[in-house]
Amino acid sequence: MLKLLFVPYRRCTRRMMTTLSQTKELFRRAEAVCFDVDSTVIKEEGIDELAKFCGVGDAVTEMTRKAMGGSMTFKKALTERLSIIRCSREQVNKLITDHPPQLTPGVRELVDRLHELNIKVFLISGGFRCIVEHVATQLSIPLNHVYANRLKFYFNGEYAGFDESQPTAESGGKGKVISMLKEQYGYETVVMIGDGATDLEACPPASAFIGFGGNVVRPQVKERSSWYVTSFGELLKELEKI
């Protein structure tokens, strides 16, 4: 009797078929480039910095590592980390004022060049919109090109949770945002750049994924990236071929 072996479909199948040269070509002709923010556009993980500022850094950093490594669903990790931090509106504002996010070297030049080439730039983050908007402003990225999680506060400024309806609050949320962008703007070629598992899983629907290890190297992301870079200068160099 002939036995058929059914191999379950894995989302990485199409991504692994993209070669290095194909990924570079897709990047050169991209209509839009989407960046992760924490540990990609900026040097730090925003939620870890917020936790340190609120005095609960160690407990939250370990959860972030698990979330970015893919061993815990993103929403579960986000919920648990925020339940430990319980930051007030005042604390968030003070963090941004006293410890503003530090841009990764080369990202400003890369975003400027993309803008010069009329390639649209978006920030898609599992971090917090109040912090990501600050980063977007530094890079001259329109605020309507920012997709991130929203913290909620009571009238007295105390922590009241986060907006769970945002796509970025879920595992797979970055892919949902990219699908929406393609539908809304008619983009055919969208490239995702990031350091973590949630960025990797956004391709597809992203046309290509570029792994970034300039701030932290996540082995499972490096292994599954057809193009993995450790500086934004490598991407700038590729754009010179246009």
Side-chain angles (χ1 to χ4, degrees):
M1 179 179 176
L2 179 63
K3 293 185 178 179
L4 298 178
L5 177 63
F6 291 94
V7 180
Y9 174 77
R10 292 170 57 194
R11 291 187 66 188
C12 65
T13 303
R14 283 167 57 192
R15 175 168 56 244
M16 293 303 288
M17 290 172 63
T18 305
T19 65
L20 174 60
S21 60
Q22 287 172 332
T23 302
K24 288 185 175 183
E25 181 184 352
L26 287 166
F27 177 61
R28 291 194 304 270
R29 61 182 177 88
E31 295 159 276
V33 174
C34 300
F35 288 88
D36 170 49
V37 177
D38 294 339
S39 294
T40 300
V41 170
I42 62 174
K43 295 179 180 181
E44 56 273 288
E45 288 286 331
I47 193 166
D48 290 349
E49 294 305 305
L50 182 59
K52 290 176 193 173
F53 192 76
C54 296
V56 289
D58 290 344
V60 170
T61 298
E62 177 60 19
M63 281 193 191
T64 298
R65 188 188 63 78
K66 289 181 179 179
M68 296 308 294
S71 61
M72 180 186 293
T73 66
F74 183 80
K75 191 170 191 176
K76 178 178 172 60
L78 182 61
T79 302
E80 292 189 7
R81 287 179 292 178
L82 284 173
S83 69
I84 294 171
I85 300 171
R86 301 195 65 81
C87 53
S88 66
R89 190 197 308 273
E90 182 182 357
Q91 285 174 312
V92 173
N93 291 339
K94 190 168 176 54
L95 171 70
I96 296 171
T97 301
D98 294 356
H99 303 281
Q102 300 298 302
L103 294 177
T104 299
V107 71
R108 190 190 301 275
E109 292 80 0
L110 176 58
V111 170
D112 286 348
R113 184 59 182 145
L114 290 169
H115 283 155
E116 287 172 5
L117 293 168
N118 201 31
I119 299 170
K120 305 305 179 186
V121 178
F122 295 85
L123 300 180
I124 308 179
S125 174
F128 307 125
R129 187 173 183 92
C130 49
I131 296 174
V132 177
E133 284 186 346
H134 179 84
V135 175
T137 300
Q138 287 183 278
L139 296 172
S140 301
I141 296 171
L143 297 187
N144 66 339
H145 284 200
V146 171
Y147 294 86
N149 291 315
R150 296 178 184 271
L151 293 172
K152 297 194 294 188
F153 301 98
Y154 292 112
F155 288 115
N156 63 0
E158 291 182 359
Y159 174 71
F162 65 97
D163 183 354
E164 297 187 24
S165 70
Q166 295 295 313
T168 49
E170 299 270 5
S171 294
K174 293 180 180 181
K176 291 177 184 175
V177 172
I178 290 174
S179 291
M180 183 190 69
L181 293 176
K182 291 173 85 170
E183 182 177 346
Q184 182 176 344
Y185 296 104
Y187 299 140
E188 290 188 7
T189 307
V190 178
V191 174
M192 180 73 201
I193 301 172
D195 69 287
T198 59
D199 309 310
L200 179 71
E201 69 179 8
C203 177
S207 311
F209 170 73
I210 301 170
F212 182 75
N215 292 307
V216 59
V217 175
R218 306 191 194 279
Q220 78 286 356
V221 175
K222 183 176 182 179
E223 289 165 10
R224 294 171 62 191
S225 300
S226 55
W227 190 14
Y228 193 83
V229 302
T230 54
S231 80
F232 287 122
E234 296 174 66
L235 303 184
L236 267 171
K237 188 175 181 180
E238 192 63 31
L239 292 177
E240 291 175 3
K241 299 177 183 178
I242 297 177

